[in-house]
Amino acid sequence: MRTVKEVSELTGISVRTLHYYDEIGLLKPTATTEAGYRLYDDKALQRLQQILFFREFDMPLKDIGTIMDNPGLDRNQILEGQRKMLILKKERLERMINSINDILKGEDKMDFEVFSKDEIEALYQSITENMSEGHKEIFIEHYGSMVEFHDEFVKGAASEQVQRNFQKVVEWYGDKESMMKAVKEQPKDVEIMTAYQRRLGKVQQKLADKKGTDVNSFEVRELVGEYDFVSKQLYQMKDVSKLMLELAQCYKTDAKVREGMDSVYGKGAAQYIGEAMEAFYHR
């Protein structure tokens, strides 16, 4: 058992921060002495280590607590997810360091890439190989030819903003390999894709019709569960929670998205659907 001061010295976390983690229920002490001093055992230190891993990604403390207290996740699952996220961050930092080294050498270069040129080419090949002839005709009509679409795709994918978008998508899938695999395995048939999207739209309408119902009620959670299931099929993801939580935030805070959804599903629909999704994934 270690005191707060000893834990602080061991981890570099301030005593005040440890007290705060206790206050919000993120890291409770294992025991408290008669004098009121907090004591921590090795299990508590393991939890603190996981908290610090999550903090590496600037994740809000509330979200960290929600993830770690999810009964459906075990310690190995959490650590595996953290490992993948840290590898992505490590790769990103290494590229930034190399870019800074180039600048110090007098080479005015900046590197924002998440995907290399070879990976962008592979991504293009995966996308076009899974395109139906109808899809290709649409791109040819828009760009003039598939060659011109290729050039625009590669050029656009190398831009800073698109690379950052790639980074976000990679985080949703867990790693680049999983994302590339999902692209290859997505349904080729336009009708199948349309059917998935139509079903998602119907679920959203059903959720909107429940507006005013407790978001934690069985009927609402069942609908979000259906939304989760269909989204996994559509996006070829094993876990869509990160994507869904970002969508939920978007439904609640993005004025244009709210306006668009409310115009289709009724006033207040976007806010309610967002709250229902958050309740489902944070429980």
Side-chain angles (χ1 to χ4, degrees):
M1 300 286 275
R2 293 178 173 84
T3 64
V4 170
K5 183 179 180 182
E6 289 171 336
V7 172
S8 176
E9 292 173 348
L10 178 67
T11 63
I13 303 300
S14 70
V15 171
R16 183 176 180 181
T17 298
L18 290 169
H19 286 177
Y20 179 65
Y21 286 177
D22 179 13
E23 290 171 11
I24 64 175
L26 184 61
L27 179 68
K28 303 296 289 184
T30 308
T32 306
T33 68
E34 292 183 1
Y37 294 110
R38 298 170 174 85
L39 298 174
Y40 300 84
D41 62 7
D42 288 343
K43 188 175 181 179
L45 290 179
Q46 288 177 355
R47 181 177 174 90
L48 176 58
Q49 184 181 48
Q50 291 181 327
I51 292 170
L52 297 180
F53 284 153
F54 279 120
R55 290 298 288 158
E56 281 292 319
F57 310 104
D58 298 319
M59 187 177 289
L61 296 177
K62 180 181 178 182
D63 292 346
I64 294 174
T66 299
I67 293 171
M68 296 185 65
D69 293 333
N70 184 339
L73 293 177
D74 61 28
R75 182 169 176 268
N76 286 342
Q77 285 179 306
I78 294 174
L79 286 172
E80 181 62 28
Q82 290 173 327
R83 187 184 70 82
K84 290 179 179 179
M85 293 170 71
L86 285 168
I87 287 173
L88 290 174
K89 184 172 183 178
K90 173 177 172 287
E91 292 174 353
R92 172 70 175 151
L93 290 173
E94 286 176 346
R95 286 196 296 269
M96 291 177 68
I97 291 169
N98 290 334
S99 182
I100 291 172
N101 288 337
D102 289 336
I103 293 173
L104 291 173
K105 292 176 184 176
E107 301 174 13
D108 190 13
K109 296 190 296 185
M110 284 301 290
D111 180 9
F112 299 99
E113 75 173 20
V114 174
F115 283 84
S116 67
K117 290 181 180 179
D118 288 342
E119 288 171 327
I120 290 173
E121 287 287 353
L123 184 60
Y124 171 82
Q125 291 298 326
S126 295
I127 291 172
T128 53
E129 284 172 4
N130 287 275
M131 274 187 185
S132 66
E133 290 304 314
H135 265 137
K136 288 182 180 179
E137 288 176 8
I138 293 172
F139 280 95
I140 291 172
E141 182 179 348
H142 183 77
Y143 290 96
S145 69
M146 289 302 290
V147 173
E148 290 185 40
F149 168 60
H150 165 270
D151 293 343
E152 286 296 319
F153 178 88
V154 172
K155 179 181 177 182
S159 70
E160 177 186 354
Q161 185 55 55
V162 173
Q163 286 283 339
R164 287 182 176 176
N165 291 340
F166 278 156
Q167 176 72 55
K168 183 59 66 177
V169 176
V170 167
E171 289 176 6
W172 292 340
Y173 281 95
D175 53 56
K176 287 191 285 191
E177 290 74 20
S178 297
M179 175 187 166
M180 298 291 283
K181 185 173 182 287
V183 171
K184 291 180 180 179
E185 294 180 353
Q186 276 195 332
K188 299 179 183 180
D189 194 322
V190 178
E191 291 184 4
I192 294 177
M193 296 288 285
T194 302
Y196 279 136
Q197 292 166 345
R198 189 181 299 118
R199 186 174 172 188
L200 288 177
K202 288 181 178 179
V203 175
Q204 287 185 322
Q205 183 63 69
K206 290 178 182 178
L207 280 169
D209 292 342
K210 295 292 182 182
K211 190 174 59 179
T213 305
D214 183 357
V215 293
N216 289 303
S217 66
F218 174 79
E219 54 191 323
V220 174
R221 290 182 62 79
E222 186 177 35
L223 285 171
V224 181
E226 182 181 356
Y227 198 97
D228 176 274
F229 174 78
V230 178
S231 296
K232 286 176 180 175
Q233 308 308 307
L234 176 61
Y235 301 115
Q236 292 296 299
M237 284 186 186
K238 293 181 179 178
D239 180 2
V240 294
S241 57
K242 291 181 181 178
L243 170 59
M244 293 298 107
L245 285 171
E246 290 217 17
L247 283 177
Q249 188 66 18
C250 187
Y251 293 162
K252 292 171 58 181
T253 61
D254 189 304
K256 288 185 178 179
V257 171
R258 282 205 315 271
E259 182 180 348
M261 287 191 68
D262 287 356
S263 68
V264 175
Y265 302 114
K267 187 175 180 181
Q271 178 73 23
Y272 180 75
I273 294 173
E275 291 174 356
M277 292 168 71
E278 286 183 340
F280 181 87
Y281 290 105
H282 278 158
R283 187 161 181 172

